[in-house]
Amino acid sequence: MNLMKIAMQNFSRVNRQPLYQQVRQILLKTIQSGEWKPGEKIPTEPVLAQQVGVSIGTLRRAVETLVHDGILLRREGAGTFVRTYRDLGYWNAFQIYRNLDGQSRGEFGRLVTFEVINKVEEKIAKALNLTDGQELIHMIRHWITTKTGIEEVVSIDESFLVKEKFSALTQDYFLTKFRVGESFYEFFDREFNVVILSQKCSAYYERLTHETAEKLHISENFEALCTERVSLTFGHEPVEYRINRGRVDVTKIFFDLS
């Protein structure tokens, strides 16, 4: 992708946004296109300013907005990089489920459903900005504990992924590539260059209906503390809709809003 070409297309239209905001959009489109990949160093500010055709001050201000939003990361003495969970080790900022003792839920996960679908509830289609017939990957995983001496499901994750963002993902690919102990978001980053930067989340109580329990491969008397989350990548693009269901007697939700 040619930055100068994008700049000319952007600046040729009547645009009342400040110039640095227009430059920000040019840089963001370059990231969204995959030309600059997560973890990759971007060109220096003088080079970018020349490519886009703006002053270095304007370019620097645009870059700073992307750094502030967590899209770019400055490393002293090294340069500016596209954000990735691989930076300085990984921790899951979006893991809001805990056992009542504050520890991570379950001892291991088990995939129970993997399918490609093109019909979902209206709220999911709307949240993901889907077009008619657009394909999704639908996955259900159980989180299991053996503390009582037998296997017990303590939590259920149901994910709807926009397939075009994860085109190579199949059940075999997931079972082969997904690492024990990692989160979906680390997996997304490492295998598909999809970095989750923010989420929209709601929480509620649910006693599973017969139909829902059957779909989730769980007993009908499962009572759950639920969250529904929309995960967004660069440019606030939604790529995943997830429903987490934690068994109410062993689950709490933890938020760090700092």
Side-chain angles (χ1 to χ4, degrees):
M1 183 175 295
N2 188 298
L3 283 180
M4 181 61 75
K5 183 177 180 180
I6 298 176
M8 294 303 294
Q9 290 172 345
N10 193 73
F11 298 153
S12 65
R13 297 187 297 270
V14 175
N15 196 326
R16 292 186 173 85
Q17 282 188 318
L19 186 57
Y20 80 92
Q21 288 283 10
Q22 297 179 53
V23 174
R24 170 196 163 91
Q25 290 305 312
I26 292 168
L27 302 180
L28 186 57
K29 286 179 181 178
T30 307
I31 295 170
Q32 289 176 306
S33 73
E35 182 172 346
W36 294 343
K37 294 179 172 56
E40 190 173 289
K41 183 178 178 179
I42 70 171
T44 64
E45 290 174 354
V47 169
L48 286 175
Q50 184 178 27
Q51 287 180 350
V52 179
V54 296
S55 71
I56 193 167
T58 297
L59 190 285
R60 183 167 293 143
R61 190 174 181 188
V63 169
E64 285 298 334
T65 67
L66 296 173
V67 171
H68 180 268
D69 289 347
I71 295 171
L72 293 177
L73 177 69
R74 291 195 188 279
R75 293 178 180 162
E76 188 173 353
T80 303
F81 296 77
V82 180
R83 188 77 185 187
T84 172
Y85 282 128
R86 290 163 279 182
D87 293 329
L88 306 177
Y90 172 79
W91 69 286
N92 187 0
F94 303 109
Q95 178 53 271
I96 61 176
Y97 269 96
R98 298 285 191 275
N99 292 337
L100 292 180
D101 61 6
Q103 300 303 307
S104 297
R105 62 204 170 128
E107 296 158 33
F108 61 93
R110 178 179 294 149
L111 181 67
V112 296
T113 296
F114 187 105
E115 60 183 349
V116 176
I117 59 176
N118 57 19
K119 290 184 179 180
V120 289
E121 292 180 60
E122 184 178 352
K123 66 177 180 180
I124 298 175
K126 185 176 180 181
L128 294 176
N129 297 330
L130 300 179
T131 57
D132 288 344
Q134 188 172 355
E135 290 187 327
L136 294 170
I137 295 170
H138 178 224
M139 301 176 67
I140 298 172
R141 294 183 298 161
H142 288 175
W143 289 95
I144 297 165
T145 183
T146 57
K147 288 182 178 179
T148 61
I150 61 172
E151 289 190 1
E152 293 185 68
V153 177
V154 292
S155 186
I156 305 161
D157 287 352
E158 183 177 16
S159 295
F160 301 86
L161 308 176
V162 177
K163 190 174 187 301
E164 66 188 51
K165 303 295 290 188
F166 307 91
S167 57
L169 183 57
T170 63
Q171 181 170 326
D172 286 343
Y173 190 101
F174 178 79
L175 294 174
T176 302
K177 299 289 188 178
F178 191 78
R179 298 173 182 171
V180 175
E182 75 175 345
S183 82
F184 253 25
Y185 304 135
E186 186 176 9
F187 176 65
F188 293 169
D189 185 345
R190 188 186 70 250
E191 295 293 331
F192 302 100
N193 290 319
V194 175
V195 179
I196 303 302
L197 295 176
S198 61
Q199 288 190 332
K200 298 176 182 179
C201 182
S202 62
Y204 58 93
Y205 163 84
E206 180 183 23
R207 184 179 179 88
L208 300 189
T209 64
H210 174 75
E211 181 181 6
T212 300
E214 190 174 61
K215 179 185 72 170
L216 297 175
H217 307 279
I218 196 71
S219 63
E220 194 171 331
N221 61 356
F222 195 96
E223 295 181 76
L225 183 58
C226 300
T227 61
E228 295 196 17
R229 297 187 275 171
V230 181
S231 301
L232 303 105
T233 188
F234 302 118
H236 302 289
E237 179 185 4
V239 295
E240 180 204 31
Y241 192 101
R242 186 184 300 194
I243 305 172
N244 298 112
R245 296 173 172 94
R247 210 174 73 193
V248 292
D249 60 322
V250 295
T251 303
K252 66 179 177 182
I253 299 177
F254 174 81
F255 293 95
D256 183 353
L257 302 178
S258 60

